[in-house]
Coordinates of all heavy atoms in Angstrom, one line a residue:
M1415 N 52.0 -43.3 -111.9 CA 52.3 -44.8 -111.7 C 53.5 -44.9 -110.7 O 54.3 -44.0 -110.6 CB 52.6 -45.5 -113.0 CG 51.4 -45.6 -113.9 SD 51.9 -46.5 -115.4 CE 50.4 -46.2 -116.4
N1419 N 60.6 -51.8 -110.1 CA 61.2 -52.7 -111.1 C 60.7 -54.1 -110.8 O 60.4 -54.5 -109.7 CB 62.8 -52.7 -110.9 CG 63.4 -51.4 -111.3 OD1 62.9 -50.7 -112.2 ND2 64.4 -51.0 -110.7
I1426 N 56.3 -61.8 -123.3 CA 55.7 -62.2 -124.6 C 54.6 -61.3 -124.8 O 53.6 -61.4 -124.1 CB 55.3 -63.7 -124.5 CG1 56.4 -64.6 -124.1 CG2 54.8 -64.1 -125.9 CD1 56.0 -66.1 -123.9
T1429 N 50.5 -64.1 -127.1 CA 50.5 -65.5 -127.1 C 49.1 -66.1 -127.0 O 48.2 -65.5 -126.5 CB 51.3 -66.0 -125.8 OG1 51.2 -67.5 -125.8 CG2 50.7 -65.5 -124.5
G1435 N 42.3 -67.3 -124.7 CA 42.3 -66.3 -125.7 C 43.7 -65.7 -126.0 O 44.7 -66.4 -125.7
N1436 N 43.7 -64.6 -126.6 CA 45.0 -63.9 -127.0 C 45.5 -63.1 -125.8 O 44.7 -62.3 -125.3 CB 44.8 -63.0 -128.2 CG 44.4 -63.8 -129.4 OD1 44.6 -64.9 -129.6 ND2 43.7 -63.1 -130.3
G1444 N 62.8 -65.6 -110.6 CA 62.9 -65.8 -109.2 C 61.8 -66.7 -108.6 O 60.6 -66.4 -108.9
S1446 N 60.9 -69.1 -105.0 CA 61.3 -69.6 -103.7 C 60.8 -71.0 -103.4 O 61.1 -71.6 -102.3 CB 60.8 -68.7 -102.6 OG 59.4 -68.5 -102.7
I1447 N 60.1 -71.7 -104.4 CA 59.5 -73.0 -104.1 C 60.4 -74.1 -104.6 O 60.5 -75.1 -104.0 CB 58.1 -73.0 -104.8 CG1 57.2 -71.9 -104.1 CG2 57.5 -74.4 -104.6 CD1 55.8 -71.8 -104.7
N1459 N 66.6 -68.5 -110.0 CA 67.5 -67.5 -109.5 C 67.2 -66.1 -110.0 O 67.3 -65.9 -111.2 CB 68.9 -67.9 -109.8 CG 70.0 -67.0 -109.1 OD1 69.7 -65.9 -108.8 ND2 71.1 -67.6 -108.8
P1491 N 55.2 -65.8 -109.2 CA 54.6 -64.4 -109.2 C 54.4 -63.8 -107.9 O 54.6 -62.6 -107.7 CB 53.3 -64.6 -110.0 CG 53.6 -65.7 -110.9 CD 54.4 -66.7 -110.1
D1493 N 56.2 -64.0 -105.3 CA 57.4 -63.5 -104.8 C 57.6 -62.0 -105.2 O 58.5 -61.3 -104.6 CB 58.6 -64.3 -105.2 CG 58.6 -65.7 -104.6 OD1 57.8 -65.9 -103.6 OD2 59.5 -66.5 -104.9
Q1494 N 56.9 -61.5 -106.2 CA 57.0 -60.1 -106.6 C 55.5 -59.6 -106.8 O 55.2 -58.9 -107.7 CB 57.7 -60.0 -108.0 CG 59.2 -60.5 -107.9 CD 59.9 -60.3 -109.2 OE1 60.3 -59.1 -109.5 NE2 60.1 -61.3 -109.9
K1496 N 53.8 -57.3 -105.2 CA 53.6 -55.9 -105.2 C 53.6 -55.3 -106.6 O 52.7 -54.5 -107.1 CB 54.6 -55.1 -104.3 CG 54.3 -53.6 -104.2 CD 55.3 -53.0 -103.2 CE 55.0 -51.5 -103.0 NZ 55.9 -50.9 -102.0
V1505 N 46.2 -52.6 -116.1 CA 45.7 -53.2 -117.3 C 44.2 -53.4 -117.2 O 43.4 -53.4 -118.2 CB 46.4 -54.4 -117.7 CG1 47.9 -54.1 -118.0 CG2 46.3 -55.6 -116.8
K1506 N 43.7 -53.7 -116.0 CA 42.3 -53.9 -115.8 C 41.5 -52.7 -116.0 O 40.3 -52.7 -116.4 CB 42.0 -54.5 -114.4 CG 42.6 -55.9 -114.3 CD 41.9 -56.7 -113.1 CE 40.6 -57.2 -113.5 NZ 40.0 -58.2 -112.5
K1522 N 47.2 -71.1 -98.3 CA 48.5 -70.6 -97.7 C 48.7 -69.1 -97.9 O 49.1 -68.4 -97.0 CB 49.7 -71.4 -98.2 CG 51.0 -71.0 -97.7 CD 51.1 -71.3 -96.2 CE 52.5 -71.0 -95.6 NZ 52.6 -71.3 -94.2
T1538 N 43.3 -60.4 -109.8 CA 43.3 -61.7 -110.6 C 41.9 -62.2 -110.8 O 41.1 -62.4 -109.9 CB 44.2 -62.7 -109.8 OG1 45.5 -62.3 -109.7 CG2 44.2 -64.0 -110.5
E1548 N 55.6 -84.0 -109.5 CA 56.0 -85.0 -110.5 C 55.2 -86.3 -110.4 O 54.8 -87.0 -111.3 CB 57.5 -85.3 -110.5 CG 58.1 -85.5 -111.8 CD 59.6 -85.5 -111.8 OE1 60.2 -85.4 -110.7 OE2 60.2 -85.6 -112.9
F1553 N 48.6 -83.9 -118.0 CA 48.4 -82.8 -118.9 C 47.1 -82.7 -119.6 O 46.9 -82.1 -120.6 CB 49.5 -82.8 -119.9 CG 50.9 -82.6 -119.4 CD1 51.7 -83.7 -118.9 CD2 51.5 -81.4 -119.2 CE1 52.9 -83.6 -118.4 CE2 52.7 -81.2 -118.7 CZ 53.5 -82.3 -118.3
R1555 N 44.4 -81.2 -118.5 CA 43.7 -79.9 -118.4 C 44.7 -78.8 -118.9 O 45.9 -79.0 -118.9 CB 43.4 -79.6 -116.9 CG 42.4 -80.6 -116.3 CD 42.2 -80.3 -114.8 NE 43.5 -80.5 -114.1 CZ 43.7 -79.9 -112.9 NH1 42.8 -79.2 -112.3 NH2 44.9 -80.1 -112.4
T1561 N 47.8 -83.0 -111.3 CA 46.4 -83.1 -110.9 C 46.1 -82.3 -109.6 O 44.9 -81.9 -109.4 CB 45.9 -84.5 -110.6 OG1 46.8 -85.1 -109.6 CG2 46.0 -85.4 -111.9
R1564 N 44.9 -76.4 -109.0 CA 43.5 -76.0 -109.0 C 43.2 -74.7 -109.7 O 44.1 -73.8 -109.7 CB 42.9 -76.0 -107.6 CG 43.1 -77.3 -106.8 CD 42.7 -77.1 -105.4 NE 43.5 -76.1 -104.7 CZ 43.2 -75.6 -103.5 NH1 42.1 -76.1 -102.9 NH2 44.0 -74.7 -103.0
L1575 N 34.5 -71.1 -118.3 CA 35.5 -72.1 -118.6 C 35.4 -73.3 -117.7 O 36.0 -74.4 -118.0 CB 36.9 -71.5 -118.6 CG 37.2 -70.5 -119.7 CD1 38.6 -70.0 -119.5 CD2 37.0 -71.0 -121.1
H1580 N 38.4 -79.6 -119.8 CA 38.9 -80.9 -120.4 C 38.8 -80.9 -121.9 O 39.3 -81.8 -122.6 CB 38.2 -82.1 -119.8 CG 38.6 -82.4 -118.4 ND1 39.8 -83.0 -118.1 CD2 38.1 -82.2 -117.2 CE1 40.0 -83.2 -116.9 NE2 38.9 -82.7 -116.3
E1587 N 54.2 -72.8 -128.3 CA 54.6 -71.9 -129.4 C 56.1 -72.0 -129.6 O 56.8 -72.0 -128.5 CB 54.1 -70.5 -129.1 CG 52.6 -70.3 -129.1 CD 52.1 -69.0 -128.6 OE1 52.9 -68.4 -127.8 OE2 51.0 -68.6 -128.9
R1589 N 59.3 -70.0 -131.3 CA 59.6 -68.7 -132.0 C 61.1 -68.7 -132.3 O 62.0 -69.2 -131.6 CB 59.4 -67.6 -131.0 CG 57.9 -67.3 -130.8 CD 57.7 -66.1 -129.8 NE 56.3 -65.7 -129.7 CZ 55.4 -66.3 -128.9 NH1 55.8 -67.3 -128.1 NH2 54.2 -65.9 -128.8
G1600 N 54.6 -72.4 -123.5 CA 53.4 -73.2 -123.4 C 53.7 -74.4 -122.6 O 54.7 -74.5 -121.9

Side-chain angles (χ1 to χ4, degrees):
M1415 294 183 187
N1419 292 328
I1426 304 173
T1429 176
N1436 300 332
S1446 56
I1447 299 178
N1459 191 327
D1493 288 353
Q1494 300 185 76
K1496 183 175 184 177
V1505 301
K1506 292 199 79 169
K1522 180 63 175 180
T1538 297
E1548 220 169 1
F1553 295 89
R1555 297 174 300 161
T1561 56
R1564 300 174 301 170
L1575 294 178
H1580 285 284
E1587 294 169 336
R1589 292 179 171 83

